[in-house]
Amino acid sequence: LSGAVGTYASTTPEVERIACESLGLTPAPSSTQILQRDRHAELLSALAILASSLDRFALEIRHLARTEVREVEEPFASGQKGSSAMPHKRNPIVAERICGLARLMRGYASVGLENVALWHERDISHSSAERVALPDAFLAADYMLGRFAWLVEGLVVRPERMRANLEATGGLFFSQRLLLALVESGLERDDAYRSVQRHAMRAWDEGLDFRDLVRSDPQIASRVDLGRVFDLHAYTKHVDTVFARVPARLVPEEVGA
């Protein structure tokens, strides 16, 4: 609307103003034959970041769905096939699809960045790429969000497997709490570390329960309250505080009100 090269040589700024107002748009402060593509690059980058976040969530679900972990599963309908060759499988196909599409979205962001620089501020090499990248990026993002919402809403969670996996180490994850308790009791940190490490390494190497080894050590058992040290709920006592922050950040104040 500002002319072939943005100088209003064949029209006036008033025509541009009237046309943009009728469309609910604001004129670009400055343009040449083309509109600067940094704004398009920013848009595609935002979509790619969104897709990468979905990629991160889906990748974690894929890991948790592995046979040796099996803490979660994708929704699996009666009669559905998980693998054409192995009937027992329940492949995380939607999560895998989300991860694959995220790579495509990051590619579109790269296209947007490549389109910023143009010869003499007027070539149209960006046009052919944008005709594919812009609509496809929006369509892919919409599809990914829809599939991820479906995945989360129907996700099968297995807390019994979570507990079994947690216990697979024989309580070794309590080593930090024991170390801190010994330091609080007055033991030098280096001495406390070596004492805890000795029992931890034996538990690892011999497949023993770390808690039993510690309880049988009078030098440790006499210094700290092991019931308090080995309290699993200590790790989750503040979880409600963390979850309470999420709605405040995601829901606009006017919606929440």
Side-chain angles (χ1 to χ4, degrees), residues 37 40 43-44 47 108 129-139:
R37 257 48 188 178
H40 293 176
L43 170 63
L44 288 169
L47 292 176
Y108 289 147
E130 286 175 353
R131 293 172 193 270
V132 176
L134 287 169
D136 277 16
F138 276 102
L139 289 170

Side-chain angles (χ1 to χ4, degrees), residues 1-241:
L1 293 177
S2 58
V5 292
T7 59
Y8 302 99
S10 59
T11 184
T12 67
E14 182 65 9
V15 172
E16 179 184 59
R17 183 190 67 78
I18 294 172
C20 285
E21 282 186 0
S22 67
L23 295 172
L25 300 175
T26 301
S30 175
S31 65
T32 59
Q33 179 173 319
I34 54 93
L35 187 69
Q36 284 73 25
R37 257 48 188 178
D38 55 327
R39 65 199 69 197
H40 293 176
E42 182 179 2
L43 170 63
L44 288 169
S45 296
L47 292 176
I49 291 171
L50 167 65
S52 294
S53 291
L54 295 177
D55 184 10
R56 176 166 64 97
F57 305 147
L59 187 63
E60 180 66 12
I61 290 174
R62 289 171 62 191
H63 165 68
L64 295 177
R66 292 168 59 186
T67 302
E68 61 272 29
V69 181
R70 202 165 175 244
E71 294 184 3
V72 304
E73 289 182 7
E74 282 192 8
F76 196 83
S78 176
Q80 179 180 336
K81 291 183 179 180
S83 167
S84 59
M86 291 172 280
H88 71 280
K89 295 189 71 177
R90 297 185 179 184
N91 296 335
I93 57 175
V94 172
E96 288 180 332
R97 195 179 306 156
I98 290 172
C99 291
L101 288 173
R103 300 168 196 161
L104 194 63
M105 293 289 281
R106 288 189 286 271
Y108 289 147
S110 177
V111 170
L113 293 170
E114 292 290 339
N115 281 346
V116 172
L118 300 169
W119 284 13
H120 303 299
E121 282 291 310
R122 61 172 289 161
D123 88 65
I124 57 172
S125 62
H126 58 80
S127 178
S128 57
E130 286 175 353
R131 293 172 193 270
V132 176
L134 287 169
D136 277 16
F138 276 102
L139 289 170
D142 178 73
Y143 178 80
M144 292 173 71
L145 286 168
R147 289 285 77 196
F148 187 72
W150 172 89
L151 177 58
V152 172
E153 289 169 359
L155 190 67
V156 178
V157 180
R158 301 186 180 279
E160 71 283 357
R161 283 291 300 174
M162 295 180 179
R163 186 59 180 260
N165 290 335
L166 192 62
E167 292 294 336
T169 64
L172 278 174
F173 54 88
F174 286 116
S175 66
Q176 182 193 38
R177 285 184 57 78
L178 179 59
L179 169 64
L180 296 177
L182 287 171
V183 172
E184 290 175 1
S185 73
L187 194 63
E188 290 291 331
R189 184 179 179 87
D190 191 57
D191 293 336
Y193 188 95
R194 292 180 184 278
S195 180
V196 175
Q197 186 186 50
R198 182 176 70 255
H199 292 302
M201 293 302 100
R202 187 183 172 196
W204 265 128
D205 295 337
E206 301 179 28
L208 302 174
D209 192 287
F210 174 70
R211 291 159 293 198
D212 292 341
L213 293 176
V214 171
R215 291 189 182 101
S216 65
D217 187 338
Q219 294 183 343
I220 294 179
S222 62
R223 297 186 69 99
V224 298
D225 179 359
L226 293 180
R228 178 173 170 270
V229 169
F230 297 143
D231 179 16
L232 188 61
H233 296 291
Y235 291 102
T236 58
K237 63 183 179 181
H238 295 302
V239 69
D240 289 339
T241 301

